[in-house]
Amino acid sequence: MQICVVALGKIGLPLAVQFASKGHQVVGADIDSAVVDQINAGEEPFPGEADLGSKLGEVVTAGRLRATTDTTAAVTEAEVVVVVVPLFVAADGVPDFGWMDSATQAIAAGLQPGTLVSYETTLPVGSTRNRWAPMLAEGSGLQASRDFDVVFSPERVFTGRVFADLRKYPKLVGGLDEQSTRRGVEFYTAVLDFDDRDDLPAPNGVWDLGPAEAAELAKLAETSYRDVNIGLANQFARYADTIGVDVVKVIDACNSQPYSHIHRPGIAVGGHCIPIYPQMYLWNDPAATVVRSAREANAAMPEYAVSRLAEAYGDLSGARVLVLGAAYRGGVKETAFSGVFGTVAALRSRGAAAFVSDPLYTADELDELGLPGHRGETVEAAVIQADHPEYRRLTPADLADVSILVDGRRVTDPRLWNGVTRVVIGG
């Protein structure tokens, strides 16, 4: 097949490489000319994605993948167009469709009869049918479901392990009609491979969800579930702190039978998905009180972690505090909606001088993110915000003069922290 992937970011580029590795001809379109040049040279434009460098080099050398800044021209050649353009959501949950609108208009300008268009970007329910299909039709002069087909098929992968996740999880597809959905199922069956799994209600592979709205809701529901579950765990943890109980032991006890699946509490919920998609769900369903309450509970955790520090340390006015970890999760150089921002803000609101360090970022890079990079300044307290593997080996010798450690991720070994007050959430 001739395939066009629109947007070559941390999801789009691995997808393009995956399609090309199955023997298809792929053109990737991106507005960033520097990214396009790197890809055409066989160089990965961002670090940290397992196996991307080697796989990219292979398919570029073989002539099965090239990149361009001309989306319309790339679409003109394609039988299938896969859209992975970012959709931004404001803090109040209102989506900003700007980039998606521009990409869809560029796609429409090159759309040919018989093309299948698949949107993988997470969307509010109804967007595929009510926004993108009409926009494609208007810009192309073609009619949806007659001249071209449209499906929604949400990405379900984590950056850093995209290729493994593509194999591990079923690919969900929903379309404007039965023909669109059938074509979507056929396409993804041809470009993906799947691990055998005996824990699923149906064989692992491409799953036909029927209408696009079902696939859109599935993505929002699975991410909202995680936010609600973590919110519940955080509420349990805060109560456990008041009664002197280790909430992790309680959670492990609960999860020892098959009807309980409580997640782990922590200082923050960050990333591109879990803090955002529940807000998108609420945009569709503002009456969803459970989802709203969980989002509020999780958003309050950085402030709660700093309050735990203040309980142990005392007045934080003038205290110098190091926040360990800018990333939203360990091992990933990403700060999307990271708890570091809320943690620094909470420290400053109490008069503390906050500094930030992260093994994946230089101090200058942190400064550029609006975070006060640590350059060796003496600090009296520390807060672990990200569960980087390096912090598992952390000892008091690494943090001279620190008398209080708030381990917001329970990543440190308590046996190594004799002589320093170590505080955990729910402990």
Side-chain angles (χ1 to χ4, degrees):
M1 284 180 287
Q2 300 283 337
I3 303 168
C4 173
V5 176
V6 181
L8 298 173
K10 294 194 173 183
I11 304 299
L13 180 56
L15 278 179
V17 170
Q18 168 65 30
F19 301 160
S21 71
K22 294 289 287 183
H24 304 286
Q25 291 296 128
V26 182
V27 178
D30 198 281
I31 61 174
D32 190 330
S33 59
V35 168
V36 166
D37 290 343
Q38 285 181 285
I39 291 170
N40 285 330
E43 301 170 358
E44 55 181 327
F46 44 80
E49 184 58 55
D51 301 323
L52 178 60
S54 60
K55 290 177 179 288
L56 174 63
E58 290 173 5
V59 295
V60 169
T61 300
R64 292 197 299 272
L65 172 63
R66 64 180 177 85
T68 179
T69 57
D70 192 337
T71 299
T72 298
V75 170
T76 301
E77 305 172 13
E79 302 166 62
V80 180
V81 179
V82 177
V83 188
V84 206
V85 175
L87 174 66
F88 295 100
V89 181
D92 58 2
V94 176
D96 179 354
F97 292 104
W99 284 14
M100 289 284 287
D101 284 346
S102 296
T104 298
Q105 290 160 1
I107 293 166
L111 197 61
Q112 301 297 305
T115 304
L116 169 68
V117 181
S118 175
Y119 285 89
E120 292 215 7
T121 305
T122 304
L123 301 169
V125 175
S127 300
T128 305
R129 186 180 307 277
N130 300 322
R131 190 180 190 95
W132 309 132
M135 192 176 293
L136 290 170
E138 180 181 3
S140 66
L142 303 174
Q143 182 175 322
S145 297
R146 185 192 70 186
D147 302 316
F148 64 92
D149 296 304
V150 184
V151 299
F152 178 74
S153 181
E155 53 85 7
R156 309 178 76 201
V157 297
F158 273 12
T159 55
R161 63 182 203 206
V162 172
F163 294 111
D165 285 351
L166 285 172
R167 298 180 62 97
K168 185 175 182 179
Y169 304 122
K171 193 75 171 94
L172 312 181
V173 177
L176 298 186
D177 54 22
E178 290 185 5
Q179 175 180 291
S180 291
T181 306
R182 175 182 55 77
R183 286 195 64 194
V185 170
E186 291 173 350
F187 165 68
Y188 284 109
T189 300
V191 296
L192 299 177
D193 299 299
F194 296 93
D195 297 331
D196 290 330
R197 290 180 54 183
D198 59 7
D199 61 328
L200 299 174
N204 195 10
V206 185
W207 287 10
D208 178 346
L209 292 195
E213 290 79 4
E216 291 167 334
L217 177 57
K219 177 62 177 183
L220 296 183
E222 69 184 16
T223 45
S224 296
Y225 160 78
R226 292 180 63 196
D227 200 42
V228 169
N229 194 317
I230 296 168
L232 183 63
N234 280 330
Q235 298 247 300
F236 290 156
R238 294 178 70 151
Y239 176 64
D241 281 335
T242 69
I243 60 174
V245 167
D246 185 344
V247 77
V248 169
K249 290 183 178 180
V250 172
I251 289 172
D252 287 344
C254 294
N255 291 350
S256 65
Q257 53 85 13
Y259 306 107
S260 181
H261 309 281
I262 304 171
H263 291 354
R264 287 291 195 260
I267 187 172
V269 178
H272 297 278
C273 302
I274 301 180
I276 301 308
Y277 299 154
Q279 296 277 37
M280 198 180 295
Y281 177 83
L282 287 166
W283 194 67
N284 280 125
D285 183 11
T289 55
V290 173
V291 176
R292 189 178 307 280
S293 295
R295 183 83 300 271
E296 292 171 353
N298 289 335
M301 290 306 292
E303 166 61 35
Y304 178 72
V306 172
S307 75
R308 295 279 286 143
L309 171 62
E311 289 171 8
Y313 184 90
D315 184 4
L316 290 175
S317 297
R320 291 165 296 185
V321 183
L322 177 61
V323 180
L324 294 161
Y328 74 83
R329 67 178 172 93
V332 174
K333 193 176 182 180
E334 285 276 357
T335 59
F337 298 93
S338 170
V340 70
F341 300 103
T343 303
V344 168
L347 287 167
R348 286 174 170 169
S349 72
R350 292 172 181 262
F355 303 94
V356 179
S357 69
D358 189 296
L360 302 180
Y361 289 87
T362 65
D364 288 343
E365 287 175 322
L366 293 172
D367 289 342
E368 291 173 2
L369 292 167
L371 299 169
H374 184 240
R375 292 176 170 82
E377 295 89 347
T378 300
V379 293
E380 293 86 41
V383 179
I384 295 181
Q385 191 283 138
D387 56 340
H388 286 306
E390 290 87 347
Y391 298 155
R392 296 172 192 158
R393 301 185 296 273
L394 203 66
T395 70
D398 300 309
L399 297 171
D401 301 314
V402 165
S403 60
I404 308 290
L405 173 73
V406 175
D407 185 347
R409 301 291 183 181
R410 292 196 182 221
V411 69
T412 55
D413 185 344
R415 297 169 297 182
L416 301 178
W417 286 86
N418 293 326
V420 174
T421 299
R422 177 180 173 271
V423 178
V424 295
I425 293 171

